[in-house]
């Protein structure tokens, strides 16, 4: 089992800068090599300082395609929409081409939204960067501890969240692992024990929690979240 590369930062602000440095480097390299770049964004609150930091960076945004590792099954202007949060913190502030923003159609019935997004994602793989967060229960994207295993070749599935909005559309582990770089952002002491549990599962080559099943990843963590990791 591959242990993650761990980069520690004093706090969320420094972590946002460090993640932006890494992501801009990866996207510039992709544009130089293939003429375009792709990134899947995470939801929740952790990535928002990183999104705002990205808006300050010089990048040929017209060559960048944006995807979402998951979203809630709500309309795009709903307060719980990951797309809406990304639009407010990043997408509306950089010169992306509208046709290169590939949102999950959360306003549709969940099975239809998942099937349609799988058709969007399939030709785009491998993505250059996949950003993930981790919930207090060890979930990542919208892959929860209770989520049943996905069909072997599935890239996008419908899942049920234990907290509302319950209906979700999410990348599978297969789609996540198809990314050239997986970057996990975790901040805050409330996640320290769970992150240590994920690390212990990886060290024991016995990944159980969803965050332990994403494959090789770079962990961008602040000191509070890293407090229970091995020194
Ligand atoms: C979501 C996210 C989810 C998130 C974690 C962490 O749709 O909620 O994709 O996986 O990354 O729940 O959320 P916070 O960053 O808000 O702690």
């Amino acid at each position: 089992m591959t242990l993650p590369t761990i980069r520690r930062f004093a706090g969320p602000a420094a972590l946002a800068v460090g993640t932006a440095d890494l992501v801009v480097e990866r996207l510039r390299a992709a544009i130089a090599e293939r003429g375009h770049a792709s990134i899947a964004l995470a939801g929740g609150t952790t990535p928002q300082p990183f999104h705002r930091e990205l808006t300050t960076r010089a990048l040929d945004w017209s060559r960048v395609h944006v995807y979402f590792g998951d979203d809630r099954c709500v309309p795009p202007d709903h307060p719980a929409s990951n797309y809406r949060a990304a639009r407010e913190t990043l997408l509306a502030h950089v010169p992306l081409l509208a046709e290169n923003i590939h949102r999950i159609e959360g306003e549709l019935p969940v099975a239809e939204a998942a099937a349609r997004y799988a058709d969007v994602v399939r030709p785009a793989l491998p993505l250059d960067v996949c950003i993930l967060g981790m919930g207090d229960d060890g979930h990542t994207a919208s892959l929860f501890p209770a989520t049943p295993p996905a069909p072997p070749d599935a890239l996008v599935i419908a899942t049920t969240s234990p907290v509302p909005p319950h209906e979700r559309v999410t990348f599978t582990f297969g789609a996540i692992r198809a990314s050239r770089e997986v970057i996990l952002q975790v901040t805050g002491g409330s996640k320290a024990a769970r992150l240590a549990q994920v690390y212990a599962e990886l060290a024991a080559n016995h990944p159980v929690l969803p965050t332990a099943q994403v494959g090789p990843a770079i962990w961008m963590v602040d000191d509070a979240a890293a407090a229970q990791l091995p020194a």
Side-chain angles (χ1 to χ4, degrees):
M1 178 64 57
T2 307
L3 288 176
T5 301
I6 301 176
R7 296 188 185 176
R8 298 174 191 230
F9 300 88
L15 187 147
V17 171
T19 307
D21 290 346
L22 176 60
V23 166
V24 167
E25 173 196 316
R26 291 291 190 276
L27 296 182
R28 282 182 181 152
I31 291 167
E33 191 175 326
R34 290 179 291 278
H36 54 84
S38 54
I39 181 172
L41 301 178
T45 56
T46 301
Q48 294 181 11
F50 154 62
H51 291 173
R52 293 189 181 94
E53 181 65 27
L54 272 186
T55 67
T56 71
R57 303 304 180 91
L59 183 66
D60 186 352
W61 289 100
S62 70
R63 294 179 179 269
V64 177
H65 287 251
V66 175
Y67 298 84
F68 291 81
D70 71 315
D71 212 339
R72 296 82 181 276
C73 278
V74 295
D77 56 354
H78 189 282
S81 166
N82 291 340
Y83 164 77
R84 173 177 165 171
R87 189 183 66 219
E88 290 173 349
T89 56
L90 173 59
L91 307 182
H93 306 286
V94 292
L96 289 156
L97 302 182
E99 62 266 31
N100 292 350
I101 299 173
H102 309 280
R103 71 175 182 88
I104 295 169
E105 296 167 292
E107 68 276 21
L108 297 178
V110 65
E112 183 181 357
R116 286 169 61 90
Y117 206 59
D119 290 342
V120 169
V121 167
R122 188 171 296 107
L125 296 182
L127 300 185
D128 293 299
V129 177
C130 181
I131 305 291
L132 296 174
M134 185 190 77
D136 291 337
D137 62 354
H139 81 258
T140 192
S142 285
L143 299 164
F144 301 95
T147 300
D153 298 331
L155 297 173
V156 179
I157 56 173
T159 62
T160 302
S161 165
V163 298
H166 294 295
E167 291 192 317
R168 307 286 181 98
V169 172
T170 185
F171 276 14
T172 61
F173 292 118
I176 293 168
R177 293 182 195 132
S179 303
R180 293 186 172 93
E181 194 82 80
V182 176
I183 298 172
L184 175 74
Q185 293 183 305
V186 185
T187 61
S190 68
K191 298 189 179 171
R194 191 68 72 188
L195 190 64
Q197 181 185 355
V198 170
Y199 188 88
E201 289 182 358
L202 292 170
N205 198 19
H206 184 59
V208 175
L209 288 168
T211 302
Q213 297 188 52
V214 303
I218 296 176
W219 286 10
M220 308 294 262
V221 296
D222 70 1
D223 289 341
Q228 298 184 32
L229 291 178

